[in-house]
Amino acid sequence: MTTTTTPPADAALHGREHIGRLYRAHLSKGRATLGELFGGHVETESEGAWLTTHEGRRFLNCGSYGVLITGARHPVVVRHVTEQLHRHPVASRVFLEPQAALAAQALAARAPEGLERVHFACSGAEAVETAIKIARSLGKDRLIATRGGYHGKTTGALSLTGNDLFQAPFRPLLAGVEHVPYGDADALEERLAAAAGRACFVVEPVQGEAGVVLPPPGYLRAVQELCRTYGAFFVLDEIQTGLGRLGHWWGADEEGVTPDALLAGKALGGGVLPVSAVLATPEAFAAFDKDPYLHTSTFSGTPLAMAAVRGSLAALAEEDLVGRARDLGTGMLATVREIVTRHYGPVLREVRGKGLLIGIEFTVPGPAGDLLIELIQHGVVANHSLNSHLVLRLTPPAVLTASDTRFLYDALDRACRAQAARYVPTFRR
């Protein structure tokens, strides 16, 4: 059952009707409607694996699209940010500033060997745009991405995102962009050969927004070898998968690859501030090394965000949250698979995942969305998949306790029981 706490003193100001009106008046009518579909809740507080609404209801947060691997307001991250807030939150951009240098050093120390240069930004899409510009500085003007891949919605990033639904209203996008099937090294080789010396290939270790699609074993190693053979620039988008989400520091680690550029984000700010980064080899970063004004942003490397990066990396290391994500994920995948299979049987295609990135795929439209809404009724927040309406995703934090996981499994069992009969009325559960 969903737990409750005492509502905040200003609960009326945060009430669903008032906030809903403000959304419709000033933000997005569509977003307001979506909020109503999800129960009309207004979240006002968060801590660890839990978020609290204006009414004092608490929800286990297994959503947030991979941001909260350290949970909300992790004390190590908050301490770093608070200290910096009271000292020097925004830099002049004229003098050198220690937090950016220390954050870059700490991040590079956790990256695959050879990725020594760092450019910080605010969003994942900005990191993708930066990678595109780095590739172009090297003469790599033919962009290749994968079908179903998700890399953001700014113009360049959207050109790479393999979903016609998001692209169509904004075409024409960047020229010279092609998409190949994910996990198909032969198809990639054909395109790389046709653009030898000019290609840039951008790929995710696991396709999160496509519904937790895992490539065949050895795929990333094959990608690296093909990119080297045909002189292509290899960009590994780890904005969602990096920093422990897959049970490794990076998806690159599992196959021992080192891309020319690796993209980080989401969890990088420790669930406190938005931060992203591009890690690159010195060779790839040469143009940016030579001219520090070639690619800049007012808030790139801002001290407050850099403190969050340092806190996030410290929390992950000190509490071995990467290892915990691996161990939790192994047990969670098996239990979630058993629960959902027992209830949905013939309309369940697969439960798959790696670490704390788990996808539940159905064979027909409807169950994923209905189960998402039903889970909210039982006190759990999950994710839909932007590039697959058949898949519901779980991206819980690595700070889940034994009590939290029991709550999740019980809620999932009750939610499945409530919804499955709509799709499999004769299936024996």
Side-chain angles (χ1 to χ4, degrees):
M1 181 176 294
T2 305
T3 57
T4 61
T5 60
T6 303
D10 58 353
L13 181 63
H14 298 155
R16 67 178 68 185
E17 291 185 5
H18 178 61
I19 297 302
R21 284 195 297 269
L22 293 180
Y23 262 80
R24 291 185 183 281
H26 304 296
L27 291 170
S28 165
K29 293 180 180 178
R31 183 63 183 86
T33 300
L34 191 61
E36 292 172 358
L37 180 65
F38 292 149
H41 303 290
V42 178
E43 58 186 84
T44 56
E45 297 179 43
S46 59
E47 183 173 8
W50 295 82
L51 62 83
T52 305
T53 71
H54 72 292
E55 298 171 319
R57 294 186 63 186
R58 298 177 72 235
F59 292 81
L60 184 66
N61 192 357
C62 295
S64 294
Y65 300 94
V67 170
L68 298 174
I69 192 71
T70 56
R73 297 197 297 122
H74 191 287
V76 173
V77 183
V78 171
R79 184 178 72 247
H80 277 75
V81 171
T82 301
E83 291 174 358
Q84 192 62 35
L85 176 64
H86 292 291
R87 182 185 299 119
H88 185 51
V90 178
S92 70
R93 307 284 302 173
V94 174
F95 302 138
L96 301 181
E97 188 278 317
Q99 291 298 320
L102 293 171
Q105 179 190 40
L107 184 57
R110 291 294 179 182
E113 187 176 356
L115 300 178
E116 302 169 8
R117 298 292 199 276
V118 181
H119 172 82
F120 287 108
C122 295
S123 71
E126 287 180 83
V128 174
E129 299 285 351
T130 302
I132 291 173
K133 290 180 71 174
I134 291 175
R136 289 195 167 187
S137 76
L138 301 169
K140 315 298 183 181
D141 59 350
R142 299 284 294 277
L143 299 176
I144 303 172
T146 59
R147 296 171 191 164
Y150 185 87
H151 304 286
K153 292 173 182 169
T154 53
T155 301
L158 182 58
S159 301
L160 296 172
T161 294
N163 188 331
D164 185 70
L165 177 67
F166 298 133
Q167 287 191 354
F170 305 105
R171 290 180 178 137
L173 298 169
L174 293 186
V177 181
E178 299 179 274
H179 291 83
V180 297
Y182 183 67
D184 189 336
D186 292 336
L188 174 63
E189 181 171 20
E190 180 180 343
R191 302 319 308 153
L192 292 179
R198 295 179 56 189
C200 168
F201 181 54
V202 184
V203 68
E204 302 157 274
V206 174
Q207 288 189 319
E209 297 298 340
V212 191
V213 179
L214 281 66
Y219 175 63
L220 293 184
R221 285 196 303 273
V223 166
Q224 179 172 268
E225 292 170 5
L226 289 171
C227 286
R228 289 175 177 172
T229 297
Y230 293 102
F233 191 69
F234 175 23
V235 178
L236 194 60
D237 184 344
E238 297 241 29
I239 291 166
Q240 183 166 167
T241 59
L243 299 169
R245 178 55 58 186
L246 301 181
H248 300 273
W249 274 93
W250 309 99
D253 295 342
E254 189 172 13
E255 293 197 8
V257 302
T258 299
D260 298 299
L262 182 147
L263 313 184
K266 294 193 184 292
L268 187 58
V272 174
L273 286 168
V275 191
S276 65
V278 179
L279 296 101
T281 64
E283 296 78 14
F285 210 72
F288 286 23
D289 255 344
K290 183 178 180 180
D291 184 350
Y293 292 106
L294 193 63
H295 182 71
T296 60
S297 169
T298 300
F299 294 106
S300 171
T302 195
L304 199 63
M306 297 300 93
V309 171
R310 294 183 66 198
S312 176
L313 295 173
L316 286 166
E318 291 170 10
E319 299 183 14
D320 188 25
L321 294 181
V322 176
R324 182 159 175 74
R326 181 173 57 251
D327 296 340
L328 269 173
T330 299
M332 188 173 294
L333 180 63
T335 303
V336 169
R337 180 180 289 133
E338 186 279 322
I339 292 171
V340 182
T341 300
R342 172 161 38 91
H343 288 288
Y344 281 92
V347 298
L348 176 69
R349 175 168 287 130
E350 186 180 21
V351 177
R352 56 180 177 266
K354 186 172 291 187
L356 291 176
L357 178 58
I358 296 173
I360 302 169
E361 182 174 9
F362 296 94
T363 60
V364 295
D370 289 340
L371 184 57
L372 175 66
I373 295 171
E374 188 68 34
L375 275 170
I376 291 173
Q377 299 301 314
H378 293 277
V380 174
V381 175
N383 297 322
H384 64 290
S385 295
L386 289 176
N387 281 355
S388 177
H389 64 283
L390 298 175
V391 180
L392 179 143
R393 284 185 298 154
L394 298 172
T395 54
V399 297
L400 289 181
T401 65
S403 175
D404 294 337
T405 55
R406 286 194 298 271
F407 183 94
L408 170 61
Y409 299 151
D410 178 63
L412 179 62
D413 184 62
R414 288 184 288 118
C416 287
R417 186 179 303 277
Q419 285 293 325
R422 298 178 59 189
Y423 298 94
V424 282
T426 61
F427 182 57
R428 192 177 192 83
R429 294 188 295 279

